[in-house]
Amino acid sequence: MILFLVNAIIVLFLAAPILVVMATAFTTTGYPVFPPEGFTLKWFARVFETGEFTDAAQLSALLAICATAIACTLGTLTALGLSRWKGRGQSALSAFVLSPILFPTIVLGLALLVFYSRIGLQGSFLGLVIGHSIITTPFVVRLVMASLSEFDPAVEEAARNLGAGWWRTFFQVTLPLIRPGVLAGGVFAFILSFDELVVTLFLAAPGMSTLPMRIFTFVQYSSEPTISAIATMLIVVWALIGVPLYARFLSIRHK
Amino acid sequence: MTAAPRRERRDWTQVLLVLPNTVWLLLFMVGALFFLFLMSLRGYEPGGRGMLDTWELSNYWAFISDPFYLKILGRSLLMALWVTIGCLILGFPLAYALSRLRGMKRALLYFAVLVPLLTSAVIRTFGWMILLSNKGFVNQTLMSIGLIDSPIPMMYRMTGIIIALIQVLLPFMVLALDAALLNIDRQIYDAARNLGAGRVRIFFRVTLPLALPGIVSGSILVFTLAISAFVTPALVGGPRIPVMATLIYQQGIALLNWPLGAAISLVMLVVLVVILSALMSIASRAMRRAS
């Protein structure tokens, strides 16, 4: 009973800033206040009035799609390789490919900026995609590894013994079995890349602005609830896409 | 009979599979880090000629010899320590409940942890800015129920940064602890109870030692993310409370002093590695004693 009460308070603490942002999106005042006063949808309309947020969202989506494609390819291959690794070096290798999770993004941002200035990728879209792929790939590796831990390698062997080639075995046997992991990893990579701010701040060309950069600048220099409206839309969309996928993925793991 | 050639072929497959990602990381993470290291050794003349062609240790000396910078390092370490402790205290009950629940209840509690994780740090910090300001909800509520007479300043203060950062990083701690607690065999609790151990005793002698791997991995993750956090200190603390990450950003982007920014980055990485390896050696000794 005490545990339940304590946890209710902790959950409230976790939810507080999110609920507050969502509530202030509907306030009639010209700045975000909690509790909100009155009810209006004009801040949602304001998001689409000027092109600055929609343009930025498009750039973020394009960037996230490219980074996710690389992350899913590299991550799935790595997870498959690690899971069937024989001999020494597996734990060192997996620590290395997972290390970007712990690598401070502020340092990665500056390091890539210095590096790119030398090799001519400074301020390029490709440079941003590479930076985002470094950050997101380890999460794909982790989630595919998790779905591979349930995977019986004998199935692959059976397919091969029945005469299926390497490609056929991969696409018709292995991939369908690890699809929940790849899908969960891909969605997580997309959301992570779409929301990424720190590395992007270092690598974006002047005038280039992703949605998190716009939001960051807006939070610092403006006090209009427009930002609450756009944040509310992001929270709802991510929750709708991310949570069901995770729930299915986790139910597979913890049955 | 056919085992030997097949194993050999598989050895090559496994190398080929991990090769693209490894090369990618060697090039763009390790390679970039190497160039950052070279940059930290370059001379720099503020205002005048900018970056020089000389190789020197002056940037490291500039950091180590200046109390202003050392204070920022100390502040960041203290911030990361408090955030890690806060996440452990708040994360443990939540993860404990999560690991014991099944079915719909577990899914609901998981939802409460996942939604914040899927919401960007900028948006959540923005929520805290609304809540923590002098005229914000927290201060207004505390004043209206008579707990305080005047608002407690939390914006542009360390208190505010720590509160917001605990919330931002708590989901990572909960997921790490949950993974460790799920691995505990329930029969151990039954056995302990049958042997006459009380609840408190079971918690300290059984649950806590067995959760140690999760406590360590969660703390490492949260401490690392906290000491290098940029968004929350930049928005809640502002320029008045510089931390390592905002300092690196200021040197690298605003002042374009890449050599000093690079040196500060490497100092932070070294400090981080030293602290984490100390923590891990203590933890592995504790785990050995527990088993």
Side-chain angles (χ1 to χ4, degrees), chain B residues 5 21 28 49 54 101 112 124 155 159 162 167 169 194 198 208-209 213 224 227 233 236 239 246 272:
Chain B
N21 193 9
F28 291 107
R49 289 173 294 161
T54 52
L101 289 173
R124 284 189 279 158
M155 276 299 290
T159 337
I162 290 174
Q167 192 270 347
L169 300 178
N194 289 342
L208 214 54
T224 308
I227 199 176
V236 177
T246 49
L272 193 57

Side-chain angles (χ1 to χ4, degrees), chain B residues 88 177 211-221 279-280 283-284 287:
Chain B
L88 275 172
L177 291 176
L212 206 57
I215 294 174
V216 172
S217 65
S219 300
I220 287 174
L221 187 58
L279 183 70
M280 276 195 279
S284 70
M287 268 185 259

Side-chain angles (χ1 to χ4, degrees), chain A residues 84 148 150-166 168-170 172-178, chain B residues 10:
Chain A
R84 63 192 67 194
L148 274 170
E150 318 265 302
F151 178 86
D152 185 357
V155 182
E156 275 187 340
E157 206 125 327
R160 214 131 350 128
N161 287 344
L162 289 170
W166 200 93
R168 190 140 176 233
T169 310
F170 177 74
Q172 297 199 337
V173 178
T174 316
L175 196 58
L177 284 168
I178 59 169
Chain B
R10 209 178 282 158

